């Protein structure tokens, strides 16, 4: 049978019917909210290239986290804006137990204990050169960096972080961090591996937000993946799972939907996607110009991630999306 007996528009003619045949749904439980924390008392400062996203003081962040929790958002991912004077060549501040991220985690766990707290592991917020690892003779040295990453992960686990998220793309880091956590009795701390992380220009506004952009010398192409490749994403994710990752991530999001789909279909493990700063900025800028409708576009991008197979979505718009979901129900 074909047209005119078959008419695909029949199922689309009414709202109830469209709902009935809808394949993918967005829920608040799909969302992870990435947030920036700074060490000033000013409750929040604007990030020029990310309108509507702020760097928060610890106190304000705790309030925001409570709001996110009340809306039903399962987890937040916190990123520190490290004061310049605390940065160094090897990023030792990353394993200072009193650093901004640790103070934030302990406040959060004391005041909003039931929201999941995810902390990045990578040295770029702490190094003067803005690279994710330790640099010797102009090279990001893999194995030397592993030690530093393990120290950073342990430091964050001791502060009470629930999920360690290595975003550095060093070889062997998931296994090294898993061992270090287990040896120290943190066998319940989860690992969300930034497994398929591309050397993307879409991270620009994030680097503005944390102040690593002007510092960054060169690029990150010796460790982050080449945007032209997809087979190696499968290789990376496979190794991270073998090394003990509980969840994996594809990053960026919309330009890499094919990778999400492949990873999910291949491994069938919890797969997150990061709608990164540049994706957010792109949609915001167009919306502010009146060229795109923000609400519809952000919604559509979420459904695209679900359709591709993502189990969770890191998005700077998590709170406003959750607010909308709450109003709908
Ligand atoms: C740190 C890190 C980055 C992002 C998350 N963790 C930047 C980078 O790798 O340069 C980017 C997130 C975003 O753009 O929203 N390694």
């Amino acid at each position: 049978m074909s047209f005119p007996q078959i008419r695909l528009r029949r199922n689309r003619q009414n709202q109830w019917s469209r709902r009935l045949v809808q394949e993918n749904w967005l829920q608040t439980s799909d969302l992870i909210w990435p947030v920036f924390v700074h060490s000033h008392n000013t409750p929040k400062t604007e990030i020029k290239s990310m309108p509507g996203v702020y760097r928060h003081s610890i106190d304000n962040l705790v309030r925001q986290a409570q709001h996110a929790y009340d809306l039903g958002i399962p987890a937040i991912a916190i990123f520190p804006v490290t004061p310049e004077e605390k940065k160094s060549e090897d990023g030792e501040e990353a394993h200072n137990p009193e650093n901004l991220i640790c103070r934030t985690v302990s406040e959060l766990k004391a005041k909003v204990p039931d929201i999941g707290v995810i902390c990045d592991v990578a040295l770029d917020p702490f190094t003067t050169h803005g690279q994710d690892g330790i640099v010797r003779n102009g090279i990001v040295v893999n194995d030397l960096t592993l030690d530093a990453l393990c120290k950073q992960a342990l430091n964050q686990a001791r502060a009470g972080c629930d999920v360690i998220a290595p975003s550095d793309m060093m070889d062997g880091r998931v296994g090294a961090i898993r061992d270090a956590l287990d040896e120290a009795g943190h066998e319940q701390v989860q690992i969300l591996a930034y497994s398929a992380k591309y050397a993307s220009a879409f991270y620009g506004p994030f680097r503005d937000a944390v102040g690593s952009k002007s510092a960054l010398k060169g690029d990150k192409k010796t460790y982050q993946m080449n945007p032209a490749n997809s087979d190696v994403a499968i290789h990376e994710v496979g190794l991270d799972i073998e090394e003990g990752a509980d969840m994996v991530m594809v990053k960026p999001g919309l330009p890499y939907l094919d990778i999400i789909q492949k990873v999910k279909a291949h491994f069938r493990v919890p797969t997150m996607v990061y709608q990164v700063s540049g994706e957010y900025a792109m949609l915001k800028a167009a919306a502010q110009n009146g060229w795109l409708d923000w609400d519809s576009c952000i919604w559509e991008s979420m459904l695209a991630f679900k359709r591709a197979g993502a189990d969770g979505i890191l998005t700077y718009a998590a709170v406003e999306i959750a607010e909308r979901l709450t109003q709908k129900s």
Side-chain angles (χ1 to χ4, degrees), residues 79 120 122 124 132 167 194 197 202-203 206-207 220 224 251 274 276-277 316:
F79 296 95
D120 241 45
D124 57 327
D132 291 17
S167 73
Y194 284 74
K197 177 169 178 179
F202 287 99
Y203 309 150
F206 174 97
R207 294 176 190 166
K220 301 191 176 184
Q224 298 179 350
K251 178 182 173 196
Y274 200 142
V276 300
S277 56
Y316 296 98

Side-chain angles (χ1 to χ4, degrees), residues 38-60:
H38 69 198
S39 50
H40 317 295
N41 292 328
T42 331
K44 60 181 194 182
T45 60
E46 277 179 15
I47 300 160
K48 265 217 176 91
S49 51
M50 300 178 75
V53 177
Y54 301 90
R55 305 176 189 91
H56 300 275
S57 64
I58 296 183
D59 285 354
N60 198 41

Side-chain angles (χ1 to χ4, degrees), residues 285-301:
Q288 286 186 337
N289 268 300
W291 296 340
L292 283 179
D293 178 62
W294 166 259
D295 283 349
S296 315
C297 288
I298 197 77
W299 194 258
E300 190 175 326
S301 68

